[in-house]
Amino acid sequence: MTFLWGTATAAYQIEGAVAEDGRGPSIWDTFSHEPGKTRDGHTGDIACDHYHRWPEDVELMAAAGLNAYRFSIAWPRIQPTGTGPANVKGLDFYDRLVDGLCAKGIAPAATLFHWDLPQALEDGGGWMNRDVSEQFADYAAIVVERLGDRVQQWITLNEPVIHMIFGYALGMHAPGRALMLDALPVAHHQLLGHGLAVQALRAGGAAQVLITNNCTPVWPASDSAEDQAAADAYDTLHNRLFNDPVLLGTYPDLTAFGVEPHFIRDGDLKAISAPLDGFGLNYYTPTRVTGPNADSVMPFELADITGYPKTEFGWPVVPDGLRELLVSLKSRYGTALPPVYITENGCSYAAIDDQFRIDYLDAHFKAVETAQSEGVDVRGYFIWSLLDNFEWAEGYHQRFGLIHVDFDTQTRTPRSSYHWLRTHLSPAGG
Ligand code: FCB
């Protein structure tokens, strides 16, 4: 089986063309245009102008020797208000992109939801509203009908944990709600949306269906019982809350958080745990935690990780964390864990001559090889990201691309890491 080597992107972060061909507004359009929500007021209005420049971008992928590409579909291009008939021009765009990829031998991996909910659905409560789960499945059915003959992998959701925590619990991302633990239904409704979308995708003849979860190794700051319990609580919230229902059909014990998951109905977990063809894993860095203090609102506090290099985003570089995570997923879920695809990993580093990124990627590739030798079935690796892009609340200030983008001219300049990757993928230069 050919190992998939790709890059990953997301619609709102690269496409621009926010008012073109009938696209409706998403929560990120609204949020980024609200003063003070993103650094320097940056928005995705133009982003990388990928909506128009995608042929050049596909060309760059092909020239690097990549054989897969993970992108996301903007729900508000397909259904401008989140429900109702398909906007054909929106589908046409992804149809052209998918054809362009296939023509270059690049396998399309399409994510259905990478955080850009149609604003009209947010106006009805967003993912706090259970109806959105079914609406999501309706949208999935529309898309698979048009693209299902060529898309090799379907990824239902991107990082439901980050969307819940940053978007609904803390308000640092769209839709900007700060509900703290009251945001918990957002976990369940996204997961239910995943389960119902799996059914719709299967009915539409989808080749492979996955979910992408962001997972982190959780390190207690010490051996103390308090720190261990805190690590356990954080692991439950960040990892198990999203992995257990999908892979085991159960929710972890949430008593440390003092909440009862009253929003779960009969049959939900059965839908959520429908078998998958792969598990998408996004890994960036471990999380270190200590026990709560007198002012803590959660049963843990986050602590700094020292002694490792840091990316320009300030995230510690811990390649062995990826091996640790893969091995722990395998030991926790055993045969319930389908083949794993690293659907995101990468670093923020701006220089064109980015030896830092080369070292970062090289070390993370090796960590995957080690995990494979320890028995974990990993079948693909998507680097975040192809291009510098709109990094959510950070705007254009964090540059994750293998390719530098000049946002004034839209000029693409491959970084040293891009050239290194090309040699890594085709050592003989073929
Ligand atoms: C992930 C997101 C992705 C990107 C990277 C840096 O959490 O899925 O869109 O922002 O982080």
Side-chain angles (χ1 to χ4, degrees), residues 13 114-115 158-159 282 284 315 344 384 391-392 400:
Q13 295 182 272
H114 201 127
W115 306 349
N158 177 71
E159 300 188 349
N282 289 2
Y284 287 95
W315 298 352
E344 281 182 34
W384 186 272
E391 179 45 42
W392 310 116
F400 278 87

Side-chain angles (χ1 to χ4, degrees), residues 45-395:
D45 287 1
I46 299 172
C48 307
D49 194 30
H50 174 78
Y51 194 77
H52 302 112
R53 293 170 196 262
W54 66 266
E56 178 184 356
D57 296 337
V58 171
E59 193 57 59
L60 283 160
M61 293 174 216
L66 296 160
N67 62 8
Y69 173 49
R70 173 175 180 240
F71 60 98
S72 84
I73 293 174
W75 186 348
R77 286 199 193 282
I78 309 303
Q79 291 175 297
T81 56
T83 57
N87 169 39
V88 175
K89 284 190 171 166
L91 283 170
D92 288 346
F93 167 67
Y94 296 105
D95 197 272
R96 290 193 293 276
L97 173 65
V98 164
D99 272 352
L101 291 165
C102 292
K104 298 275 177 198
I106 299 171
T111 306
L112 289 169
F113 181 68
H114 201 127
W115 306 349
D116 45 359
L117 193 77
Q119 180 61 41
L121 296 187
E122 174 58 25
D123 297 341
W127 286 107
M128 286 295 285
N129 179 351
R130 186 180 164 102
D131 295 345
V132 173
S133 315
E134 283 182 22
Q135 290 156 344
F136 180 61
D138 294 343
Y139 151 65
I142 293 174
V143 182
V144 73
E145 188 187 344
R146 180 74 183 269
L147 305 177
D149 55 339
R150 287 154 291 154
V151 166
Q152 179 169 323
Q153 295 192 318
W154 293 92
I155 298 166
T156 54
L157 305 173
N158 177 71
E159 300 188 349
V161 63
I162 304 296
H163 190 52
M164 176 185 80
I165 293 183
F166 283 80
Y168 287 83
L170 302 176
M172 288 147 69
H173 281 183
R177 300 172 73 181
L179 304 171
M180 296 308 289
L181 279 171
D182 290 340
L184 221 51
V186 171
H188 184 64
H189 296 153
Q190 286 185 94
L191 290 170
L192 180 61
H194 156 78
L196 299 177
V198 172
Q199 288 170 14
L201 291 166
R202 297 276 184 225
Q208 294 180 10
V209 184
L210 292 75
I211 190 170
T212 280
N213 278 349
N214 177 302
C215 299
T216 180
V218 184
W219 295 349
S222 78
D223 292 343
S224 75
E226 292 75 23
D227 289 356
Q228 301 275 350
D232 210 50
Y234 191 81
D235 183 38
T236 296
L237 181 69
H238 193 119
N239 299 319
R240 296 188 54 190
L241 181 60
F242 294 86
N243 294 341
D244 286 12
V246 170
L247 299 175
L248 304 176
T250 55
Y251 271 107
D253 180 1
L254 294 172
T255 44
F257 296 91
V259 286
E260 275 295 319
H262 54 83
F263 36 78
I264 304 169
R265 297 194 193 157
D266 282 354
D268 287 0
L269 279 160
K270 188 160 187 297
I272 292 170
S273 59
L276 298 176
D277 306 295
F279 180 81
L281 174 67
N282 289 2
Y283 168 72
Y284 287 95
T285 197
T287 306
R288 190 164 166 264
V289 292
T290 64
N293 56 48
D295 302 324
S296 299
V297 279
M298 299 295 271
F300 55 78
E301 283 294 323
L302 301 181
D304 281 348
I305 293 179
T306 51
Y308 293 89
K310 290 196 168 145
T311 72
E312 287 178 0
F313 215 148
W315 298 352
V317 178
V318 187
D320 190 59
L322 179 52
R323 183 206 58 80
E324 180 187 335
L325 192 56
L326 286 163
V327 170
S328 71
L329 282 168
K330 181 74 200 168
S331 72
R332 183 174 277 172
Y333 297 105
T335 52
L337 182 71
V340 178
Y341 295 83
I342 311 297
T343 40
E344 281 182 34
N345 173 251
C347 61
S348 166
Y349 193 79
I352 304 269
D353 189 6
D354 57 344
Q355 187 60 42
F356 183 94
R357 181 174 282 102
I358 295 174
D359 294 343
Y360 179 100
L361 292 174
D362 191 46
H364 285 79
F365 293 173
K366 291 194 169 109
V368 169
E369 278 170 29
T370 310
Q372 286 174 315
S373 73
E374 293 177 26
V376 188
D377 184 3
V378 183
R379 300 198 188 173
Y381 199 115
F382 295 81
I383 296 163
W384 186 272
S385 182
L386 178 70
L387 305 165
D388 293 341
N389 59 47
F390 174 78
E391 179 45 42
W392 310 116
E394 287 288 305

